[in-house]
Amino acid sequence: MSRMGKALFGLWSVMTFSLLGYGLFVALGDSPPDAEQGNMIRAFYYHFPNWIGAGIFLPLNLLASVAYLALRKKNVLAATKADALALATAEMGVLYCVLGMITGSLWGRVEWGIWWAWDARLTTTLMLALIYIAYLMVRRISSGSSRATICAVLAIFGFVDMPIVYMSTTWWRTQHPAPVFGGGDGSGIAPSMMRATLWNVTAWVAWGVLVAGIRYRGELQAQLREQEDALRVLEEASIEEASNV
């Protein structure tokens, strides 16, 4: 990493953890308790940013996967970068999904009296997480040139579930509240919650960018080393074959 890159990484890291700290402050101390939910409303300041993060990184995974399929036979380096980005964004998407389900379960235990309900929203959300966990498992256990192609196709298939998750509370009767945005009457964020919500969304998305950037750089370097090793093996095999002629 260049000196400029290190400086930008350090600046982004400081900014991210400052945002996380201030987000915690406004979530716990600045925002008032809800009239009906009391202090449990504070879980929303982490639950909602988690799903915003998933809503950002999983579409990025889709775009990177499509880019890989389009570039794999035209520009190997660009395709490798797209595949590395696909992995990094998939990992962040899965992490956000898991955190979103955990924070949602904590809220549901207090408000509904149960940790989990097999309604349409929660079931389709679990399916989404499992599809992308399968994506990561395929990347872990498979190898060779077909690995990235298989994962790219799986990513495109998995993304189909995202709009189903979003629309599930509209299409079916569920216990889950309507979407915050575009959910019809009663949707949206109360003005008293807006400040804490926006700060925490910004903080957790910045954190996701930081972690995804680290994973992208590590995966890209690993794939480039793998390609170099493969070329070296081919060159040594060619030299050995030529010497035997």
Side-chain angles (χ1 to χ4, degrees):
M1 185 183 294
S2 66
R3 182 177 299 178
M4 178 63 72
K6 291 180 179 179
L8 291 174
F9 174 76
L11 180 62
W12 190 270
S13 299
V14 171
M15 182 192 73
T16 296
F17 288 104
S18 298
L19 285 169
L20 288 169
Y22 188 71
L24 178 64
F25 167 75
V26 294
L28 298 181
D30 185 63
S31 179
D34 184 71
E36 297 181 358
Q37 301 179 35
N39 283 316
M40 197 59 206
I41 192 62
R42 303 187 195 283
F44 175 82
Y45 301 131
Y46 296 93
H47 180 68
F48 182 65
N50 290 153
W51 292 116
I52 291 294
I56 291 173
F57 283 94
L58 292 182
L60 286 176
N61 169 263
L62 172 68
L63 294 176
S65 299
V66 172
Y68 170 79
L69 293 175
L71 296 170
R72 58 186 173 145
K73 295 182 179 179
K74 300 176 182 178
N75 189 325
V76 175
L77 179 58
T80 302
K81 291 180 178 179
D83 184 55
L85 181 61
L87 173 61
T89 51
E91 290 176 340
M92 287 311 305
V94 168
L95 182 56
Y96 278 124
C97 280
V98 171
L99 290 174
M101 287 189 290
I102 291 173
T103 53
S105 293
L106 292 172
W107 179 89
R109 181 65 180 86
V110 174
E111 296 301 316
W112 298 341
I114 54 175
W115 293 102
W116 185 267
W118 290 101
D119 70 353
R121 168 59 63 85
L122 298 182
T123 302
T124 54
T125 299
L126 179 61
M127 289 174 58
L128 181 70
L130 291 176
I131 289 170
Y132 282 95
I133 289 173
Y135 170 97
L136 297 178
M137 291 178 64
V138 169
R139 293 200 68 111
R140 176 70 64 178
I141 64 177
S142 62
S143 60
S145 58
S146 63
R147 177 182 62 186
T149 302
I150 294 171
C151 289
V153 174
L154 182 58
I156 295 171
F157 167 75
F159 187 79
V160 173
D161 192 38
M162 277 207 74
I164 297 175
V165 171
Y166 183 81
M167 294 301 298
S168 58
T169 55
T170 302
W171 291 343
W172 300 289
R173 295 178 59 185
T174 71
Q175 286 183 280
H176 200 282
V180 173
F181 300 115
D185 294 338
S187 63
I189 300 173
S192 62
M193 299 171 57
M194 186 64 71
R195 185 163 176 257
T197 300
L198 293 179
W199 274 108
N200 278 287
V201 166
T202 303
W204 283 96
V205 170
W207 174 77
V209 171
L210 176 67
V211 177
I214 295 172
R215 287 294 299 125
Y216 166 75
R217 186 170 184 270
E219 177 63 19
L220 178 60
Q221 291 178 339
Q223 290 201 31
L224 291 177
R225 284 195 300 268
E226 185 178 333
Q227 291 173 8
E228 290 174 359
D229 291 342
L231 287 173
R232 188 179 302 111
V233 170
L234 288 174
E235 290 175 355
E236 291 174 354
S238 298
I239 293 173
E240 183 178 354
E241 182 179 350
S243 63
N244 292 331
V245 173

